[in-house]
Amino acid sequence: MKGVVLAGGLGTRLRPLTRVTNKHLLPVYDKPMIFYPIQTLADAGITDIMLVTGGNNAGDFLRLIGNGEDFGLRHMNYAYQKNEGGIADALKLARYFVGDDKVAVILGDNFIQGSIRCAVGDFGKQPCGAKIFLKEVPNPREFGVAVLDGDKVTRIIEKPADPPTNLAVVGIYFYDSDVFEICETLKPSNRGELEITDVNNEYIRRGVMTYERIEGWWADCGS
């Protein structure tokens, strides 16, 4: 299983901090923000990772992370996103890196308290499809929200005005290699971006989406 860390974007909600650097290079406690999602993948046994970033500070990631040996990685790969096209657009850059493997995608500003190692093992046994992670939150209007029917996800609604549940979709996603074909079929949203929610809803439509609930805390450091 390959890993992809997405660390693009302009970080406008964190200005003026992000006027001179990428959001994911800002410190969180005693480490750069980007260290946490990389460590999450490494601790789960995923040691072949690609980092996707963009903007004027892309070279800073290479200087900071190098070949990933500080995380125990087999190799750290890099890709450059030219424009702000959304999460699904950034993921497309990893197509040839992932190949026919399954992939764990994590947003560079998302932290979790626990481990995803067991979920990685479970997804390895899943014949095909995708897996998302859910967390109960007090402010579901700010996130993609999952609707469940028993043990199945029936729909994901992006930032609903009247949320049907308080289950936010965390910025960690597992996919089979079909994800890249799905990304190619997407149309830009009203924001002009290719939305990862549309990717997840396509897997739900196909009936091959599973989910895990996050235990412990979860932090989205995008704002």
Side-chain angles (χ1 to χ4, degrees):
M1 191 169 181
K2 301 285 181 62
V4 173
V5 181
L6 301 181
L10 298 176
T12 54
R13 287 175 293 177
L14 290 179
R15 287 177 179 170
L17 294 172
T18 49
R19 284 180 181 168
V20 294
T21 191
N22 184 290
K23 168 180 67 175
H24 307 88
L25 298 172
L26 295 173
V28 176
Y29 192 50
D30 62 346
K31 300 174 185 176
M33 187 187 297
I34 194 63
F35 277 27
Y36 294 91
I38 295 173
Q39 196 65 61
T40 294
L41 295 180
D43 289 346
I46 299 172
T47 59
D48 201 358
I49 295 174
M50 171 173 278
L51 187 143
V52 181
T53 188
N56 297 327
N57 305 103
D60 294 340
F61 287 94
L62 182 59
R63 286 189 289 272
L64 177 67
I65 300 167
N67 60 12
E69 62 184 356
D70 291 343
F71 299 91
L73 302 184
R74 184 170 59 183
H75 191 60
M76 174 60 85
N77 307 265
Y78 297 89
Y80 186 83
Q81 185 182 20
K82 291 182 179 180
N83 302 306
E84 301 299 316
I87 294 172
D89 181 65
L91 179 56
K92 290 197 297 182
L93 296 174
R95 181 169 195 161
Y96 296 106
F97 165 70
V98 174
D100 294 328
D101 290 341
K102 292 179 177 178
V103 60
V105 181
I106 185 167
L107 304 187
D109 57 5
N110 272 231
F111 309 161
I112 60 170
Q113 181 178 9
S115 170
I116 60 170
R117 179 177 283 271
C118 289
V120 167
D122 290 342
F123 190 62
K125 300 172 187 175
Q126 188 173 318
C128 62
K131 180 184 289 291
I132 56 174
F133 292 78
L134 307 178
K135 177 68 179 176
E136 292 185 4
V137 296
N139 53 338
R141 290 184 182 88
E142 299 180 13
F143 303 99
V145 172
V147 180
L148 305 181
D149 181 9
D151 62 350
K152 292 185 178 180
V153 186
T154 59
R155 187 170 47 141
I156 298 171
I157 308 170
E158 186 64 24
K159 297 180 180 177
D162 185 18
T165 75
N166 66 343
L167 292 171
V169 180
V170 173
I172 307 172
Y173 321 94
F174 293 173
Y175 300 116
D176 62 14
S177 59
D178 287 351
V179 68
F180 300 106
E181 295 178 9
I182 293 172
C183 286
E184 292 295 341
T185 68
L186 299 182
K187 299 291 189 294
S189 67
N190 293 335
R191 300 192 300 170
E193 297 184 352
L194 302 185
E195 304 288 352
I196 201 69
T197 294
D198 292 338
V199 173
N200 292 331
N201 276 324
E202 174 59 20
Y203 276 107
I204 292 170
R205 188 191 69 78
R206 296 181 183 190
V208 288
M209 173 67 79
T210 61
Y211 72 91
E212 299 271 343
R213 288 180 183 250
I214 291 288
E215 301 296 335
W217 51 258
W218 162 59
D220 178 349
C221 294
S223 60

